[in-house]
Amino acid sequence: MMAMENDSLLEDSLLTRNAAIFLEAASSHSFSSTAQRLHVSQSSISQSIKSFETKLGFRLFERDARPLRLTHEGRLLLAGLEKGTQELGALLHQLKNKGQTKPFLKLGMLESVGSFIGADVAKGLSQDINELEIKTGPSDRLFFALLNREIELGVLSSPVLSDDSLAWDFLFEEPWVLIFPRGFEVPSPLTWQVLSKLELPFVQYGKNTANNRIISTFFDRLSLRFSTRYKVEDTNMILKFVKAGLGWGLVQPYAVSSLVGLEEVTIVKAPSPISRRKVFLVSRNSFDKELLGTVKNLLIYLMQEKIKAELCPIIPWISSEYLFAE
């Protein structure tokens, strides 16, 4: 059955042009042949099939095979399409809910969190999803990626904006730590007022970052002003600037675990009162609740375990400074 002969199959929104292309590709066993028959580019065919797979939640073709070969799910779907749309809804429900397929997941993570537990998240989700794509970046960028459907879940800090289509699930609340170049004589007793009078500059987050807003709001509340010569966009840059002796910084504790040359900085508990950063798992309201719960529980578990294993040996007092969702 040729794809363009199946106009009756295109009435459902799911079975639009992508379904027709799938039928053609299944018949010809070749994306290039499909492209020639439909008078479009091969890349367009590949993108359409990928989009269809994403909507369905499973792969349709084994792309390494020559000629192109359908997966088990692809063969079942083809059979369902050839029988017509009447049985298709039940077929998709069966494929998705009886464990025959696993979803794709596009996950956004704050850079510092992703560096700390990203690989462990991928390993922990390996039995629950078919494919994982992790995007890291500042909280604001990830927020708009969620709105634009570039990612499906995001590990974000406190929002500057809100949107009714998104749900915010609290993960944990974390402190900040001070880092100084090794050899710098840290004042004692250490207060925010003392820090504001240091000649050593404060290496600050760039103004377009969520961390800058959190820290700036905290400093404004205490009427604090610091000598600031450098502004950078991410935590790794702050760590490198401090390590080079260019200033002192205020960072998340787990960020220091990835620093090469840790012995070249001094880590100090921030004075009281201390600002804290809240981190959330953000999803669209329509996101699968079972998978959402799985990801949330995994993130909390991994953070707790990695803090014990990697941070406590470096910063013995840090474990008690975190607050996790129950």
Side-chain angles (χ1 to χ4, degrees):
M1 179 183 293
M2 292 296 98
M4 304 313 290
E5 296 172 358
N6 287 276
D7 292 341
S8 63
L9 298 181
L10 305 185
E11 295 175 359
D12 191 293
S13 60
L14 181 65
L15 299 175
T16 55
R17 180 171 177 272
N18 291 344
I21 290 174
F22 164 68
L23 287 170
E24 186 65 52
S27 175
S28 65
H29 304 287
S30 168
F31 285 174
S32 59
S33 296
T34 301
Q36 291 175 4
R37 291 179 63 88
L38 299 181
H39 306 290
V40 296
S41 66
Q42 184 173 337
S43 63
S44 175
I45 297 298
S46 297
Q47 290 171 5
S48 295
I49 294 296
K50 181 69 174 177
S51 175
F52 197 33
E53 289 175 328
T54 300
K55 287 181 180 180
L56 295 171
F58 50 83
R59 291 187 179 278
L60 297 171
F61 293 96
E62 295 177 6
R63 287 169 171 74
D64 294 335
R66 293 293 182 274
L68 199 63
R69 188 167 61 231
L70 290 168
T71 63
H72 173 67
E73 292 81 8
R75 290 194 296 273
L76 290 174
L77 181 60
L78 177 62
L81 287 171
E82 290 179 339
K83 290 180 181 178
T85 59
Q86 187 174 9
E87 300 177 8
L88 182 58
L91 172 63
L92 293 177
H93 180 79
Q94 178 186 22
L95 289 174
K96 288 189 174 184
N97 294 290
K98 289 191 175 181
Q100 296 186 44
T101 63
K102 300 174 185 178
F104 295 174
L105 177 61
K106 295 182 179 180
L107 174 65
M109 304 181 77
L110 292 164
E111 289 171 331
S112 52
V113 179
S115 297
F116 193 51
I117 61 170
D120 301 282
V121 170
K123 186 175 181 179
L125 291 176
S126 61
Q127 299 302 311
D128 299 286
I129 60 174
N130 185 44
E131 183 177 310
L132 174 66
E133 179 180 332
I134 295 181
K135 178 185 181 74
T136 60
S139 189
D140 290 2
R141 192 181 302 163
L142 296 176
F143 176 81
F144 286 108
L146 272 165
L147 291 181
N148 295 329
R149 300 180 182 272
E150 297 169 14
I151 57 176
E152 297 163 297
L153 290 178
V155 179
L156 280 65
S157 59
S158 303
V160 64
L161 300 171
S162 62
D163 188 276
D164 292 339
S165 67
L166 301 180
W168 295 72
D169 285 296
F170 173 70
L171 291 174
F172 56 88
E173 187 174 281
E174 59 185 347
W176 301 83
V177 296
L178 303 175
I179 54 171
F180 296 91
R182 177 66 71 180
F184 177 78
E185 187 175 345
V186 180
S188 181
L190 187 64
T191 67
W192 292 112
Q193 287 70 26
V194 169
L195 285 166
S196 69
K197 293 178 172 60
L198 292 180
E199 292 185 6
L200 186 70
F202 172 49
V203 184
Q204 190 174 359
Y205 285 98
K207 66 178 182 179
N208 293 323
T209 64
N211 283 345
N212 175 275
R213 284 194 303 275
I214 296 170
I215 294 172
S216 295
T217 300
F218 173 67
F219 287 164
D220 288 344
R221 193 166 68 244
L222 298 181
S223 299
L224 293 171
R225 296 293 181 270
F226 294 89
S227 169
T228 302
R229 183 177 297 175
Y230 309 105
K231 293 183 178 181
V232 299
E233 290 297 312
D234 62 71
T235 303
N236 285 331
M237 286 294 291
I238 290 180
L239 293 170
K240 291 178 180 178
F241 273 55
V242 173
K243 180 181 171 183
L246 296 171
W248 64 276
L250 191 62
V251 300
Q252 294 83 34
Y254 47 78
V256 301
S257 67
S258 61
L259 178 63
V260 176
L262 188 59
E263 68 282 355
E264 297 180 40
V265 301
T266 298
I267 305 167
V268 179
K269 188 174 183 177
S272 182
I274 179 62
S275 174
R276 303 175 69 85
R277 182 172 82 160
K278 291 184 178 180
V279 177
F280 301 83
L281 180 60
V282 188
S283 63
R284 304 195 70 82
N285 292 325
S286 58
F287 189 80
D288 181 85
K289 296 301 184 287
E290 182 177 352
L291 182 56
L292 178 66
T294 297
V295 175
K296 179 180 178 179
N297 292 336
L298 178 64
L299 289 168
I300 292 172
Y301 170 77
L302 290 175
M303 284 296 300
Q304 291 173 330
E305 292 301 307
K306 294 269 287 191
I307 287 169
K308 292 177 186 176
E310 297 188 12
L311 286 188
C312 287
I314 303 170
I315 316 172
W317 42 266
I318 200 61
S319 180
S320 62
E321 298 295 314
Y322 276 86
L323 173 64
F324 286 92
E326 296 181 357

